[in-house]
Amino acid sequence: SEAIFELVTKAGHVAVDLADDGRMNTVFAKSLAGGRGHVSRSVVRTVQREKGALIIRDVEAELPTSSQDTKALAGIIGVPLWDGETIRGVIQVGGARGVFLDGDLDLVTAVANMATLAIENARLVQRLRLAEEKLRGEVKYLKGREEKRRFSDIIGESSAMG
């Protein structure tokens, strides 16, 4: 979020929604003024439906059924977080000062692309840790089993040689 606030000088709110069991949940929301940032469900749904980024320059005209908090924003940018062909999340930026330009959309899209890579890397690290933990358990089990087997067969009986 700090990167967006630094790069997009008109940004006043940043929110990130991620898909969890097919449903988008807000995992981060911050306001430059302090406190929780505002999230517009309409923007999240539109990004998902249109499968692309959007820039809203006139909130009242383009989102007439939005909440008063949404209508108070000067503009909104919504950018998907892609995982292959699937949208796994949405970054939403609410404008506090002035109208967003196409360059602002490009900057948020660049941040979204980096965020997508970071999210995917975190998921891969988590999967790797789980696989490592499982493997350690299997190795421990097999070592214990081998120890029991190796020493139980050392002394045995045989017929006399002769």
Side-chain angles (χ1 to χ4, degrees):
S1 75
E2 298 306 319
I4 290 176
F5 287 131
E6 286 179 29
L7 294 170
V8 183
T9 58
K10 297 170 193 121
H13 303 269
V14 174
V16 178
D17 283 65
L18 293 177
D20 185 22
D21 293 330
R23 203 170 159 244
M24 287 288 185
N25 295 307
T26 303
V27 296
F28 177 84
K30 183 176 181 180
S31 171
L32 197 56
R36 185 171 163 81
H38 179 69
V39 178
S40 169
R41 292 282 140 222
S42 298
V43 170
V44 172
R45 284 190 300 270
T46 303
V47 168
Q48 288 179 293
R49 185 178 61 249
E50 301 295 324
K51 296 196 178 298
L54 66 88
I55 185 167
I56 297 172
R57 293 184 174 96
D58 185 350
V59 176
E60 281 210 45
E62 295 181 56
L63 297 174
T65 60
S66 294
S67 69
Q68 289 302 319
D69 288 337
T70 300
K71 288 179 182 176
L73 297 172
I76 302 173
I77 291 175
V79 177
L81 298 170
W82 290 99
D83 181 9
E85 298 293 315
T86 305
I87 294 176
R88 294 287 181 208
V90 175
I91 291 182
Q92 192 174 145
V93 179
R97 304 173 298 276
V99 175
F100 287 123
L101 304 173
D102 289 342
D104 297 321
L105 178 62
D106 293 342
L107 291 170
V108 176
T109 300
V111 171
N113 291 338
M114 288 184 275
T116 298
L117 291 173
I119 291 166
E120 183 58 26
N121 283 343
R123 286 181 178 160
L124 290 172
V125 167
Q126 182 181 22
R127 284 177 46 199
L128 183 61
R129 285 186 179 143
L130 290 172
E132 180 183 29
E133 187 177 308
K134 181 180 176 185
L135 186 59
R136 286 183 191 278
E138 289 174 1
V139 167
K140 184 177 178 181
Y141 169 77
L142 290 173
K143 278 186 175 181
R145 193 171 138 199
E146 182 63 28
E147 287 290 320
K148 289 178 187 173
R149 215 176 98 210
R150 188 176 341 153
F151 294 115
S152 65
D153 297 350
I154 289 179
I155 300 175
E157 293 183 24
S158 66
S159 57
M161 294 174 56

